[in-house]
Amino acid sequence: MMQHKDYGVFLPNAAGGWMISSTAPYPPASYDYNKQVAQLAEGIGLDFIMAMAKWRGFGGATDHWGETLESMTMMAGLAEATERVKIWATVHANMQNPAFAAKVFTTLQQISDGRAGMNIVNGAYADEFIQMGIWDAEMSHAARYRMTEEWTQAVLRLWSEPSVTMNGEFFTLTDCESRPHPDPRPTIISAGRSEPGRAFQAKYADGAFLGAETLDEMRDLSRDVHERAASEGREVRTYSMLTIVQGETDAAAEALAIRYGEGIDREALGNMRRSWGWDPARALSWAQGAKGEEAFQTPYVTGSADTVTERVLSILETAELDGLMLIFPDYLEGLQSFGESVLPALRAVELADSTELADSTELVT
C-alpha cells in the first residue's frame, strides 16, 4: 500500500550540479538560479529543498564544483523567497561550533516560519579541510561519529535548556546560553549507510538519506533504520537520491543520458574518488576506464513521463523508502516537466491507495 511519499530537490549550489560531464547542462553556482529552482520546486508541489555544504571542487575540464555557495546563508534567503516548502541546510559538525550552529538554525527556523531542517555531516573529505588547517588526520571513522553525536547532543540541549555546561571528548561548553529556543525544533537530517551512520540516524535524525548498490540492499538499509528508530521509540523517514532524465519518449530520454555520458570528465571523477580516500593511482586508473554512466553521481532513471512514473514507484516500493531527493541535469526544464506530468501521477497513486485503505477499513469496522 502506497503511503504518502516526500519528494524534494537537491539544489545545485555547486557549479555543474550533479553531472560530471562537459556535454551535460552546467547549472551555475548562483543565488538567482537556485532561487528559480526553489520557487519552481515549491510551485509544482515538492515537499522540501536541500543544499549541501562543499568547500573545494574537483577540477578537471569542467572545474566540477569549483564554485559553490554556502548552504546556510543561501537557504536563509530561499526561506524568504518561498512560503511552504521545507528548507534543509547543511552544516559540518567538524567545522562549526555547536553553539554557533544552534543559533544559526534557530534564526533560520524563525525566517522560514518553522520549515527549517539541519542536515548534519561530519566532515570526511580531507582536501576540503586541509586547505583551512582544520583536518585531523588521526580521527577515525568511529571517532567522527562520536564527535558528531556529541555535537548533536550539545545542539539539542542548547535548543531546549536555559544554559548548557558540558565537558566532552570533543566539545566544551561553560554555562552556554542560546536563546531564544527554536519552536518547533528544526528537523534533523543525516546521510550515511555505515553501521555508525545508521545508529546515529536512528537515535537523532528525523530523515535519513541512504545509498546502496542495489534496490535490495537499499531495502535492507531502510528496514534497518526504521527498526532501529522504533527500538528508540522514534520514527525516521528514509530517503535516497535519484536523477531524472525525462524525454518525450523513452528513446529520446535514453539518447540524452548517452549524450551526457559521452562528455564524462575523467580528471574530475578521479579527483572525487581520491577525495574519498582512494589511492591516487587507483583513482586515476578507475576514472580512465569508467563508463559514461559514471558521469551521473547518483542512480538515475530515464524515460517518458509514464516510464519515469513507473520507475519511481518501483524504486519506492522495492526499496521501502519514504521519499526521494531528486536531481535534474537541467533543473528548470526538468522540474517543469516532472511537475506537469510525473508528480501528479505519483500523487494520484497515493490518493487511490489511501481511498482504498479507507474503504477497506470502513468495511471491517
Side-chain angles (χ1 to χ4, degrees), residues 239-254:
Y239 306 94
S240 188
M241 296 189 296
L242 183 70
T243 298
I244 305 291
V245 181
Q246 187 177 334
E248 289 294 326
T249 64
D250 290 353
E254 182 62 26

Side-chain angles (χ1 to χ4, degrees), residues 164-197:
V164 177
T165 295
M166 62 181 292
N167 294 291
E169 180 182 0
F170 303 96
F171 300 101
T172 298
L173 300 175
T174 304
D175 189 24
C176 187
E177 297 183 358
S178 184
R179 294 180 285 118
H181 294 152
D183 184 22
R185 172 182 67 75
T187 300
I188 292 180
I189 309 299
S190 174
R193 58 182 286 182
S194 67
E195 198 285 330

